[in-house]
Amino acid sequence: MRILVTNDDGIDSPGLHALAAAAAAAGHEVIVAAPAEESSGSSAALLAVEADGHIAMQEAVIVGTPAAFAVSATPAFIVLLATRGAFGEPPDVVLSGINRGPNTGAAVLHSGTVGAALTAVANGCRAMAVSLDATGPEPHWATAAEVAVDLLPLLTGPFVLNVNVPDVEAGYVRGIRRAHLAEFGMVQMTLRERGEGFVRMSLEQVGDVAEPGSDDGWLLDGYVAVTPLFPPGEAADVELPGLVDTAGEHVGG
């Protein structure tokens, strides 16, 4: 397969390099295009640095890949560019990550890693978002990269696999579990300080207890948590009393 590897931590992230190397070692054609600077929390925003209508990008060197680009754009925009042929033939699959830190629960809405993958699916690619619950000074990137490559055969339809991997050596992963999204997520944004003319926010760990069966729960128990996600779409089953569609039918039946 032709695989685009991107992320939201930037072109120099070791997680990006590990994921690209693992996909290439598995025999896939790998192209890397990632933000020139960190773009965490960008969700699916389409933002870029332009000059005279040109989006800035430079070639980069990543071992094991024939081409790599540092692009002055958000990861979702990079994926959109890739599907339009900006880096050669459009990819079959987009691998987004490996993110440093989990992307779990409702917080996936804000993740640039997940936003890139959702954008890929919305534009006809299969996609996976990969995150490592990195807690120590030397994250186990190889574990998450190995898991991602092993899960590639599950990319069979128009959905994103959101994959969260515990930060342990591969032999210490307890297993892989399908998980539902936790209500919030292990890491939340909180108001740290409010003053005259400013506020200060911080990211804080919620705690060591999570809902059983959720992505947070499985991850805390030492399992890889896998959650399929659909891109945004119409809520066709929602009743809207009194409104009609263009065909004159009442919305929702």
Side-chain angles (χ1 to χ4, degrees):
M1 293 184 294
R2 181 173 172 82
I3 295 178
L4 172 76
V5 179
T6 191
N7 72 347
D8 71 359
D9 288 329
I11 192 70
D12 295 324
S13 168
L16 177 82
H17 291 230
L19 186 57
H28 301 290
E29 179 185 1
V30 176
I31 302 299
V32 175
E37 305 290 341
E38 183 174 347
S39 192
S40 296
S42 60
S43 187
L46 300 180
L47 300 174
V49 176
E50 295 187 33
D52 298 324
H54 298 162
I55 297 173
M57 69 180 190
Q58 292 184 333
E59 292 190 11
V61 176
I62 293 183
V63 176
T65 63
F69 303 91
V71 188
S72 295
T74 55
F77 204 168
I78 291 170
V79 168
L80 188 64
L81 293 171
T83 64
R84 303 304 191 265
F87 313 111
E89 288 295 317
D92 304 304
V93 168
V94 171
L95 295 180
S96 184
I98 303 164
N99 190 70
R100 185 176 187 130
N103 276 308
T104 57
V108 298
L109 174 66
H110 309 293
S111 165
T113 303
V114 177
L118 289 170
T119 301
V121 171
N123 285 274
C125 296
R126 290 166 285 165
M128 184 188 305
V130 188
S131 303
L132 180 68
D133 186 21
T135 55
E138 297 183 5
H140 294 84
W141 301 115
T143 301
E146 179 181 327
V147 167
V149 171
D150 287 346
L151 291 175
L152 280 172
L154 296 184
L155 295 179
T156 58
F159 55 82
V160 169
L161 280 187
N162 188 42
V163 180
N164 284 280
V165 182
D167 188 16
V168 296
E169 293 183 10
Y172 290 92
V173 174
R174 297 182 65 186
I176 301 176
R177 295 290 186 269
R178 176 167 179 159
H180 64 261
L181 288 177
E183 185 175 357
F184 294 107
M186 292 177 66
V187 178
Q188 294 183 30
M189 184 78 73
T190 61
L191 179 65
R192 188 165 184 176
E193 183 181 0
R194 180 172 61 189
E196 186 173 347
F198 77 93
V199 294
R200 188 155 63 104
M201 308 297 291
S202 66
L203 291 173
E204 294 185 2
Q205 194 88 4
V206 176
D208 296 326
V209 178
E211 178 186 353
S214 70
D215 45 10
D216 281 347
W218 285 121
L219 190 58
L220 284 172
D221 285 342
Y223 291 86
V224 174
V226 179
T227 307
L229 306 174
F230 282 124
E234 178 190 1
D237 294 333
V238 174
E239 296 276 354
L240 299 176
L243 297 186
V244 297
D245 62 19
T246 54
E249 297 290 338
H250 281 279
V251 176

